[in-house]
């Protein structure tokens, strides 16, 4: 006996880094199960892999999740989560160290907040120019690192990238180098040649490249931490997807 199938709505969003419009459906119970199991591990890589798999499933594989920038993945997943579970995310935020509570009447250690997914912003207006002029005739065209690239070079806990790995990641993110009218595509050069080029730059030139990566946008939301007991408050900015699953 064939059981009935429940119809699923479809939505559209714009991928921040490219401006591409894509359609997606909410995730289903089987996909939510995958997410919950990844969250239980507390492992950043497992969580990222689950988000990639879910986005791929919910777009019928149209979106190449391996080529998404980290902020694309976070933004897409939060929008997907909003349409699948609900527009409001409830989180708990620990009391900021700047709030000093009365000794005789201690403040609460956490503040519970309800955040609407639609109010979580990602500002792409100040994204640095990807074509960087190093001299009057020489420059480099960069790409944002893909999620898998960041994971490859991040420390085991996913929180940092060591100096040597920073150079390797930059190497992977070069699209091409130009000198005058001549274009040198990175895919046609060896890793050593690209590394030698980066190491030949002076500090000012290298800082231009570093600023491109440091200027990557992040999902963020301004909130106010307020003690439910003494009503002392402090403005905070939540950044990155981990902040919205507290």
């Amino acid at each position: 006996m064939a059981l009935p199938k429940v119809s699923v709505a479809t939505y559209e969003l714009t991928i921040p880094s490219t401006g591409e419009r894509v359609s997606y459906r909410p995730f289903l119970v089987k996909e939510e199960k995958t997410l919950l199991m990844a969250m239980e591990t507390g492992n950043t890589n497992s969580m990222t892999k689950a988000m990639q798999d879910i986005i791929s499933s919910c777009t019928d594989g149209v979106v190449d999740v391996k080529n998404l920038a980290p902020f694309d993945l976070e933004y897409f997943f939060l929008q997907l989560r909003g349409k699948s579970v609900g527009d409001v995310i409830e989180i708990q935020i620990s009391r900021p160290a700047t709030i000093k509570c009365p000794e005789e009447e201690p403040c609460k250690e956490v503040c519970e907040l309800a955040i609407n997914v639609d109010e979580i912003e990602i500002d792409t207006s100040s994204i640095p120019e990807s074509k960087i002029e190093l001299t009057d005739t020489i420059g480099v065209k960069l790409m944002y690192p893909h999620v898998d690239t960041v994971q490859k070079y991040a420390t085991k806990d996913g929180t940092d990238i060591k100096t040597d790995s920073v150079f390797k990641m930059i190497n992977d993110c070069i699209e091409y180098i130009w000198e005058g009218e001549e274009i040198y595509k990175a895919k046609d050069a060896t890793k050593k040649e690209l590394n030698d080029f980066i190491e030949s730059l002076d500090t000012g030139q290298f800082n231009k490249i570093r600023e491109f990566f440091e200027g990557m946008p992040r999902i963020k939301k301004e909130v106010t931490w307020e003690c439910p007991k003494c009503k002392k408050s402090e403005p905070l900015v939540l950044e990155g997807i981990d902040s919205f699953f507290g």
Side-chain angles (χ1 to χ4, degrees), residues 2 8 13 15 19 38 52 60 65 94-95 99 111 117 128 131 137 149 161 172 194 213 235:
V8 180
L13 62 72
I15 296 178
Q52 289 178 314
D60 293 327
V65 293
S94 299
R95 174 165 55 90
I99 291 186
C111 171
V117 169
K131 295 179 69 174
T137 57
T149 301
I161 299 179
D172 285 352
L194 293 172
F213 295 101

Side-chain angles (χ1 to χ4, degrees), residues 54-65:
I54 291 172
I55 289 174
S56 182
S57 294
C58 292
T59 58
D60 293 327
V62 171
V63 174
D64 185 356
V65 293

Side-chain angles (χ1 to χ4, degrees), residues 101-116:
C101 61
E103 293 183 2
E104 69 278 4
E105 189 179 8
C107 288
K108 295 290 185 180
E109 290 298 321
V110 296
C111 171
E112 296 182 357
L113 294 175
I115 298 175
N116 192 309

Side-chain angles (χ1 to χ4, degrees), residues 4 8 57 71 74 135 141-143 156 171 178 203 205 210 221-222 240:
V8 180
S57 294
F71 57 90
E74 293 185 343
T135 71
K141 172 68 165 61
L142 300 172
M143 305 175 291
K156 289 184 178 180
N171 192 311
W178 79 82
T203 301
Q205 292 165 338
R210 189 180 66 183
K221 177 75 172 74
E222 294 182 2

Side-chain angles (χ1 to χ4, degrees), residues 213-238:
F213 295 101
E214 292 177 348
M216 277 199 303
R218 302 198 73 189
I219 54 173
K220 62 174 59 177
K221 177 75 172 74
E222 294 182 2
V223 300
T224 298
W225 193 98
E226 182 177 283
C227 176
K229 193 170 185 179
C230 74
K231 302 303 179 183
K232 285 187 177 181
S233 64
E234 179 80 15
L236 299 174
V237 176
L238 303 181

